[in-house]
Amino acid sequence: MTASDAFGQVLGCLVSARWRELRVNALVGHPLSEGITETQRAVLQALQGMRLPATQVIPCVAVECRDQADHIRLGLLMAAEQLHVACRLLLVGREMEARRRLEDWLQTLLRLGRRAGLKLSVQECDHLRGQLVRLPALLDSQLALQRAVDFGGLSSRIVLVLGMHRSGTSALTGMLASSGLDVPGDLMDRPDDVINRKGYWESEGLMQLNDQLFSSLGRHWSSADQLPSGWADCEAAAVWRRSLISQWQQSCRGLSHPVIKDPRLCVLAEGLRPLLQSDAVRFTVFLPIRHPLEAARSLQAAQGTDLLRGLQLWIAHVLEAERWSRDLPRQIIAFEDLLQQPDAVLVQCRHRLGQETVQEQDQASSFIDPALRRQTARHREEALDAEERVWLESALRIQRRLLQPDADDPLLQRDLDGLRPAGGRPG
């Protein structure tokens, strides 16, 4: 990778509000060519340090020409201030002025790069300007989340339990709650429910918001494997994000470390990305994985969903949750381990959260009751028709890859992307 390639990647993150990705890349470092100058390295490091509300320290730039160093430092200061002013304008609803400031910000960054010898092609610059169109809406969501943390009582640490329906998400959330984590104050109350006898551990308000978004997109959670192209950038998604933050404030106000669970968030995770990329909250993801046929049969028993639809939903939920949580702290959990080794799973989860000790561990792990399992993976597998077998084989390939020891390996993730359905067929 050349220094200019790295510059293009950094700008791509900036104009897409991918702050967390910037930070991760800064820690890992770019495999830059040996010919990079100290000036170019300093510029890249400064841009990777840019944050909302743009208060980063501008580093000294050591170059042969003092005037050039001063110009670069001035450019960095100008860029930081332009971003900060744009955010202030968004906070008071002056979007058009904010857009103009962001256009000036990008121009400043491009000029800064040229002065440091970091040149992009005309096509690359045009692509960045195209991405800039979406930036105000992304920043608006991130600023709202920051305000919720700073002034609205929302914790800066949130656990998201993702996973396909009927895959142990409720059991895992209940166990985490029993171990000392917090749950929303508006949990679904279904006292006569015979499906989840120990509760769903799900926010009623969140579930309703997610169902409203599906409805506005002309979908239902049971058809959520095929959301409209570009849905995450539409106005309905922006309204949903703002409502989501308000709902989190309302149901999680004052909670130290809330656990938020709703399987719908798996297929809606792309729309969540501006919030996941924000520096305002440290999100940790737990993703239980159950055998796809077992989950589909359980969904059939609970909701009457046919097996083919259940397998298609399993693939969509699991792949989307995995894809959009890749650069977050996360733990992928085998459903079998959750049932048979709850103590070990609980220790893994708390370790992922940086909490080595578990309060009331025996009580928490005893929340898991293997006797509530009603479906087994190989039950009547021979009864599947040809199309169901095709989807099941694809789902099993995904399951095997996800449960390998290092699911965060880039090559493994590339394999998973290759298994993504295309044209309505499994990969």
Side-chain angles (χ1 to χ4, degrees), residues 9 62 110 158 256 262 275 319 326 332 403 408:
Q9 285 191 7
L110 292 171
I158 292 177
S256 175
D262 185 350
L275 307 184
L319 284 182
R326 283 179 183 174
I332 297 175
L403 295 181
D408 291 326

Side-chain angles (χ1 to χ4, degrees), residues 240-300:
W240 169 70
R241 281 191 292 270
R242 290 194 292 269
S243 301
L244 199 67
I245 295 167
S246 296
Q247 179 60 46
W248 286 351
Q249 280 184 261
Q250 179 179 337
S251 60
C252 300
R253 185 183 303 274
L255 301 183
S256 175
H257 204 159
V259 183
I260 295 173
K261 169 251 173 181
D262 185 350
R264 296 163 181 79
L265 289 177
C266 292
V267 289
L268 297 177
E270 182 181 0
L272 272 181
R273 198 175 194 208
L275 307 184
L276 301 179
Q277 282 287 331
S278 170
D279 281 331
V281 172
R282 183 184 190 273
F283 289 97
T284 303
V285 172
F286 295 139
L287 177 57
I289 303 294
R290 188 178 188 180
H291 189 288
L293 183 56
E294 194 169 309
R297 289 202 184 282
S298 183
L299 187 62
Q300 184 180 50

